[in-house]
Amino acid sequence: MTTELPPVEEYDYRVDRRFLRDLEALVQHERAQVGKTIRLLSRDPRHPGLRCKKLHAAKQGEIWEARVDQAHRLLYQWVNGMIYLWRVGPHDVIDEAARLGQPDLSRAVAPEGPMPAGTAAVPPALAPVTVAPPGPFERFSPTLLQLLGVPEKHVDAVRALRDPEQVWDLNLPKDVLSTLLDILTRPDLHEVMFDPARLLFRATADQLAGYCEGRIKRLLLNLDPVQEQYVRLQTRGPFLLRGVAGSGKTTIGIYRARARAAARDLFTQGGRVLFLTYNRVLADTVRELFAELYGRLPDGIEVDTVDRWLLGFCRQRGHPVRVDLSGTQAELRAAIDQVRATRPHVVLRRLPAFFEHELDKVIKGRGVATREEYLAIDRVGTGTGLGEAARHAVWDVYEAYQRRLEDRGLMDFGDVRLLALHELETRPEPRYDEVVVDEAQDLVPVQLRAVRHLARGNNIFLLADAAQSIYYRGISWRDAGMDVVGRARVLKTNYRNTAEVVCAANSLIAHSPTLVKHGEYVPPKATRAHGPRPVLIACATEADHARVVRQEVVRLCRGDTGQRYRPGDIAVLAPTRAWCVQVHGELINHDIPCRVRTDNERFSVLENEVKVLTIHSAKGIEFPVVFVVGLTHNPPQPFPRVDYTAPPPEREAELDASRRLLYVGMTRAAERLYLLTTRGAPSLFLREIEPATLVSRDAP
């Protein structure tokens, strides 16, 4: 006989942190299926599609298993009318978890977002048990308490509290005592006890003086009179505003776009502004900042990346464009192998990254249409010119690659840019009154030529810094279709970084031969703000980088450095995604709220979580505290990664691109900068930074 469930909209549930880590390990479609399973479980635990069954008795209740799909299951437990989600994963993971132990309810937290409506008693057939009420801070992990400012020596005592009045007897710092008392007097204390991670997002931001608006917002949204003049400046045609790192170029662009969009009147149909960036993280950040300033993205303003806008435009024009990054990379490697088998030449021994750069930035990026044109072109900015025989071999790879893409019906973004440019030149469609282009120094000429056709009167407002170019450089703005002679200005004051950070970064970028050769280096004026010197930490091994970051994050949030920071004030930047995954795993495993930037989701810089992302993705944004990890020459992830099969001038060009990349990473730090290397194997760039500008120490 089946026991009938009482009428209920949905059962409430809690999530163990191990469940969240399991979820992170699944791919997107698997996570989506887990979400459907949880929704079904919370509404109808006896649904036949779940195939729920009891596994074995536990000290705190009974463990149940539910089917997610053919390959995955989840484990859960019933306690006090709620579903506790414990683990999720493939069959072998679930079997091992069920065999080894029980859920630790002290690790459970409420799910992100609104709670399911309705909580009911559990039917007798599910046999829940009653658990003694925990102390108010028992479910707070030691790390979370330290992030709230509790000194390490008091953590165990705080977690052991049973009577809230005992908090007065712990001799805690006044600000920490105030924080804990606020938690204890919250009307939603019962929910907070099950949801300490969310408390961190709410309570600390609301309580601590100076945190109410968040340091990141203050950093990104302030303007002074020198910057303000470029918001209102009346321009005709393209205008170039060059600025050193930290000069507020992005902020100027945001305010200018709003001012131009608001300029419409009864006689003007315009007021449409397009704000373009190079990468998705900066585009998402700009949207967030518009929302912070105006409550939403103002009417008349669009924000996008250049490539994403051009891709959408091509599809609007009726072209069935299909872009597959992994597919195009595979076809490029196959094309190299194909040519290598028939044409012996030393250039064909180069790594695929060389050909990817040559095809994307030189051939397609500059709109080279024929072999003869490629043989004659000046490869400025690449460090050296390839000989005629080498160019013939590269062009053979290009032709083989294009044939393979055509056979598979694929395009890369170089093709998309060329197609969009052709469409705009043959059928012009100036849609906007002005186009603001942030980080314009990283765009290839074809992108800039396409953008030129988007604004009425060629009104393009370019924001650029040659010292921060990490993707492409080497040709004049005029060659890219932007005649800015007499229409360019320079911002020399760094408003973002402390003088100490500027000095260290300056000593590095001064070694750039490319900037010196082209006369494009703009030395920043010293800022008035002062702070601690950047810290260079030598770790015993590469694996220790993440551990040291985790320990330092706790110290910063606890206030050990003399100033307390929120997790959201901190970013960890890395040369590669592999480093990002390593750091993210370490922080998550120790209950430090953090988010790693992926290609499949929008990335918010204003959330109160530690941000983990590649240096490339950090262009145009800034944080009070920055850690740069992975500054070692040890394999498998050396920095810089150099193709030693390349001729010496090409190697120097690659080194200089990596040097500028590190400069970008260092200048993301507004107040505190940490550089992490491996003992005995420092990146060669660390030798270029003036030692007197750093505080060096070994990791414990």
Side-chain angles (χ1 to χ4, degrees), residues 224 244-247 491-504 506 521-531 663 670:
D224 78 351
V244 300
S247 57
L491 292 170
K492 295 184 178 182
T493 301
N494 181 317
Y495 297 93
R496 174 201 301 152
N497 310 111
T498 62
E500 288 73 15
V501 171
V502 170
C503 286
N506 225 22
Y521 174 59
V522 179
K525 291 183 178 178
T527 59
R528 297 178 181 176
H530 285 274
Y663 175 79

Side-chain angles (χ1 to χ4, degrees), residues 460-473:
I460 312 294
F461 197 81
L462 302 163
L463 301 162
D465 176 6
Q468 293 189 58
S469 175
I470 55 179
Y471 296 102
Y472 178 84
R473 58 173 302 96

Side-chain angles (χ1 to χ4, degrees), residues 145-222:
L145 286 173
Q146 291 183 69
L147 293 179
L148 288 171
V150 177
E152 188 173 11
K153 63 182 180 181
H154 292 301
V155 166
D156 290 341
V158 171
R159 297 186 74 211
L161 286 176
R162 288 296 179 268
D163 181 357
E165 292 295 324
Q166 293 174 338
V167 73
W168 293 94
D169 302 328
L170 297 181
N171 195 27
L172 296 168
K174 289 183 179 180
D175 61 331
V176 177
L177 178 63
S178 176
T179 298
L180 298 185
L181 288 173
D182 181 80
I183 295 170
L184 290 170
T185 56
R186 289 173 65 118
D188 59 347
L189 175 61
H190 179 72
E191 290 298 319
V192 166
M193 288 162 57
F194 286 93
D195 191 6
R198 292 180 61 136
L199 171 74
L200 183 67
F201 303 153
R202 296 172 183 164
T204 56
D206 292 339
Q207 291 173 30
L208 302 176
Y211 286 14
C212 294
E213 62 177 352
R215 285 190 179 87
I216 291 178
K217 297 178 191 177
R218 295 203 304 273
L219 287 172
L220 291 172
L221 295 178
N222 289 343

Side-chain angles (χ1 to χ4, degrees), residues 137 139-159 172-173 175-177 179-180 183 196-197 199-200 204 208 211 547 549-561 563-567 570 590-593:
F137 300 108
R139 288 187 169 91
F140 284 56
S141 72
T143 301
L144 283 174
L145 286 173
Q146 291 183 69
L147 293 179
L148 288 171
V150 177
E152 188 173 11
K153 63 182 180 181
H154 292 301
V155 166
D156 290 341
V158 171
R159 297 186 74 211
L172 296 168
D175 61 331
V176 177
L177 178 63
T179 298
L180 298 185
I183 295 170
L199 171 74
L200 183 67
T204 56
L208 302 176
Y211 286 14
R547 175 185 61 82
V549 168
R550 184 249 306 168
Q551 292 172 339
E552 292 296 325
V553 166
V554 172
R555 292 183 65 248
L556 289 163
C557 294
R558 204 167 52 199
D560 293 2
T561 61
Q563 184 175 16
R564 284 183 59 187
Y565 292 89
R566 306 175 309 150
I570 301 169
H590 288 82
D591 298 325
I592 295 178

